[in-house]
Amino acid sequence: SALFGARPLMTYPESNQTPKPPSQRRNLLEERLLSTMVMIDQEIISRELDNHNFIFTSALNNQLFEFLRSPENTAPSPELRDSLNHLKFKGELLKDFTNDLAGEYLTCKKELEKVCIKEELIRLGDKIKEKEKAGDTPEVTAKLASFNNLSRRLKELEKIN
């Protein structure tokens, strides 16, 4: 069952099952975020990514994110170059459809962060149940604190237009 009425986007199964793949929406948000990062000023990226709560679903997206996030990004590795060119192309197309790439970046960042927090809340909820069954009160307390912090952050993000 989902927490706060949200439909789980990625489930964290019992130990003998494999996780479900990320949703199409999440994949689109990741790609859109990276495409806008290629096109906007580094200052906006640095300012807005001081405190973020998201994890990318693929190692490549994470590498691209870390490269684009770095203010002193040097020449990309050959592995990243093709992906960066692809993102730049998508960013150019996006620029034709929106007047505010920085605003699009901020929206994607917020929405991706909300998706990631919801997934983490589901995972933490499962861990809390597991620790309660095992009678591990200190772990339950610690996980509940994390759960509450993430819940507060999610509420903050949902208040932002």
Side-chain angles (χ1 to χ4, degrees), residues 76-105:
S77 67
E79 299 84 35
L80 291 183
R81 191 173 302 121
D82 287 341
S83 295
L84 285 168
N85 287 336
H86 183 74
L87 288 174
K88 187 161 178 80
F89 175 72
K90 288 189 173 205
E92 291 288 342
L93 290 175
L94 187 58
K95 195 164 92 173
D96 290 342
F97 292 101
T98 183
N99 296 333
D100 184 13
L101 275 178
E104 184 71 20
Y105 163 77

Side-chain angles (χ1 to χ4, degrees), residues 19 27 31 34 37 68-69 85 100 117 124 148 159-161:
N27 288 335
E31 186 177 90
L34 294 170
M37 284 177 75
L68 293 169
R69 182 180 179 190
N85 287 336
D100 184 13
I117 288 173
L124 272 173
N148 289 334
K159 285 180 186 176
I160 301 170
N161 294 337

Side-chain angles (χ1 to χ4, degrees), residues 53-161:
N53 289 302
F54 50 82
I55 299 169
F56 288 91
T57 57
S58 75
L60 175 62
N61 282 355
N62 194 55
Q63 290 172 340
L64 289 164
F65 174 74
E66 291 302 329
F67 179 82
L68 293 169
R69 182 180 179 190
S70 172
E72 62 279 332
N73 52 21
T74 56
S77 67
E79 299 84 35
L80 291 183
R81 191 173 302 121
D82 287 341
S83 295
L84 285 168
N85 287 336
H86 183 74
L87 288 174
K88 187 161 178 80
F89 175 72
K90 288 189 173 205
E92 291 288 342
L93 290 175
L94 187 58
K95 195 164 92 173
D96 290 342
F97 292 101
T98 183
N99 296 333
D100 184 13
L101 275 178
E104 184 71 20
Y105 163 77
L106 294 173
T107 299
C108 289
K109 176 194 169 285
K110 179 185 80 167
E111 291 302 314
L112 182 58
E113 191 170 7
K114 284 169 38 178
V115 167
C116 291
I117 288 173
K118 287 175 184 177
E119 290 173 0
E120 182 63 11
L121 286 170
I122 291 166
R123 190 188 69 74
L124 272 173
D126 291 343
K127 286 285 185 192
I128 290 167
K129 287 179 199 171
E130 179 184 304
K131 297 298 178 183
E132 282 177 336
K133 284 181 186 175
D136 191 348
T137 306
E139 265 308 299
V140 169
T141 304
K143 301 271 184 231
L144 279 172
S146 296
F147 190 93
N148 289 334
N149 288 336
L150 282 175
S151 293
R152 274 193 291 278
R153 177 66 182 144
L154 181 60
K155 285 178 186 173
E156 289 170 13
L157 287 170
E158 289 178 339
K159 285 180 186 176
I160 301 170
N161 294 337

Side-chain angles (χ1 to χ4, degrees), residues 1-3 5-12 20 23 118-119 122:
S1 86
L3 303 171
R7 182 174 61 77
L9 297 174
M10 177 183 249
T11 58
Y12 294 87
K20 292 182 180 178
S23 69
K118 287 175 184 177
E119 290 173 0
I122 291 166

